Amino acid sequence: MRIIDVSSYQGAIDWAQVSNVSDIKGAIVRTTIKNGNLDSRCIENINGALSHFNGHFNYVAGYKFAYANNYITAYMEAVKTLELLGDRGALKFLSRFYLDLENRPARFTKSEANEVIKGYLEACNEYGITLGLYCNYDYIKHVIDDYWKSLPLWFARYNSTMGDISPFTPELWQFTSEGSVPGIKGNVDISREV
C-alpha cells in the first residue's frame, strides 16, 4: 500500500478521489510552517482524509520540520505544535507524529539530532502520540544514532532500492517526490509500506 504526504503546496485536494485509489492507504499531513503556525491546509487535509476513510484508506499522520537544535527548544517546538493540533481536535486522530530532521540550512550534528529527538519524544509521550522519524539515507548513515532504531522510521530515498540502512527498519519508504494521484493537482510525494 502507498501513502501520500501533503501540505498547502498541493492546494485543495479532492479527498473523495484520493480515497478511491485502491492502493492508497492514507496521508501524512504537514502540521506547521517555519514560524510555528499551522500549515494553511493542515486541518482541512486531516479532516478531508478522515471524512473519507474506507476499507483501504484508513491512515492519517502528521509531520513537522525541526528548527530547534537542542533539547529545550525542541521540546517547546513540539509542545507548541501538539497543542495547536489538540486545540483544533486533530491530534487524537493522528496515527503518528513524524519529526523531519532535514529542513535546516546546515545538517544536524549527531549530538544535536539526539537532543532534538529527545525533546520531541518527551513531548509526544506527554501528549500520548507515537513519535516517528523522517530522514534520508545520508542522515541514517551519518547523523541518526543507532539508539533510535526502535522509533518508527519514514525513510526517504528516491532510488530503485532503499540500500542497506541496518540496523534501522523503516515502516515507510518515500520513493518519489514526483508522484501523480487522482484528486491532487501536480506532483505529490509517495511512500510505500515496507
Side-chain angles (χ1 to χ4, degrees):
M1 294 294 282
R2 300 183 301 160
I3 294 174
I4 58 174
D5 57 282
V6 297
S7 70
S8 56
Y9 291 116
Q10 277 73 42
I13 294 173
D14 183 338
W15 287 104
Q17 278 193 34
V18 171
S19 67
N20 281 323
V21 179
S22 63
D23 69 337
I24 299 289
K25 179 178 182 173
I28 305 173
V29 176
R30 181 172 75 166
T31 56
T32 59
I33 58 176
K34 189 172 184 176
N35 66 10
N37 293 331
L38 286 173
D39 177 290
S40 62
R41 295 201 181 263
C42 172
I43 302 303
E44 175 185 330
N45 282 333
I46 291 171
N47 288 336
L50 287 170
S51 66
H52 289 89
F53 270 21
N54 58 38
H56 67 88
F57 186 84
N58 54 24
Y59 177 90
V60 65
Y63 75 92
K64 174 171 178 37
F65 293 110
Y67 296 100
N69 63 1
N70 61 56
Y71 171 82
I72 294 296
T73 57
Y75 173 80
M76 296 306 294
E77 191 175 78
V79 164
K80 180 179 179 185
T81 303
L82 296 170
E83 281 181 353
L84 284 171
L85 293 168
D87 290 347
R88 302 295 173 85
L91 183 62
K92 63 187 175 186
F93 296 109
L94 300 182
S95 299
R96 299 262 189 276
F97 183 72
Y98 287 101
L99 168 60
D100 185 333
L101 293 163
E102 297 179 8
N103 199 35
R104 285 181 24 149
R107 185 170 85 169
F108 278 101
T109 65
K110 188 170 275 200
S111 120
E112 285 173 335
N114 280 335
E115 292 301 303
V116 169
I117 295 167
K118 284 178 193 172
Y120 268 80
L121 183 59
E122 181 169 332
C124 285
N125 287 342
E126 289 174 9
Y127 279 79
I129 187 163
T130 300
L131 176 70
L133 298 178
Y134 170 91
C135 55
N136 64 24
Y137 188 80
D138 175 59
Y139 265 60
I140 286 292
K141 287 299 192 182
H142 303 108
V143 177
I144 306 301
D145 196 294
D146 291 356
Y147 177 81
W148 303 111
K149 67 184 179 185
S150 64
L151 290 179
L153 176 63
W154 175 21
F155 177 65
R157 191 174 195 201
Y158 306 151
N159 201 324
S160 59
T161 67
M162 287 190 298
D164 179 16
I165 56 170
S166 58
F168 292 89
T169 305
E171 62 181 19
L172 297 173
W173 170 25
Q174 186 184 73
F175 62 93
T176 185
S177 61
E178 298 178 342
S180 176
V181 172
I184 298 177
K185 295 175 187 164
N187 291 338
V188 63
D189 296 346
I190 301 179
S191 302
R192 63 173 54 110
E193 292 182 300
V194 178

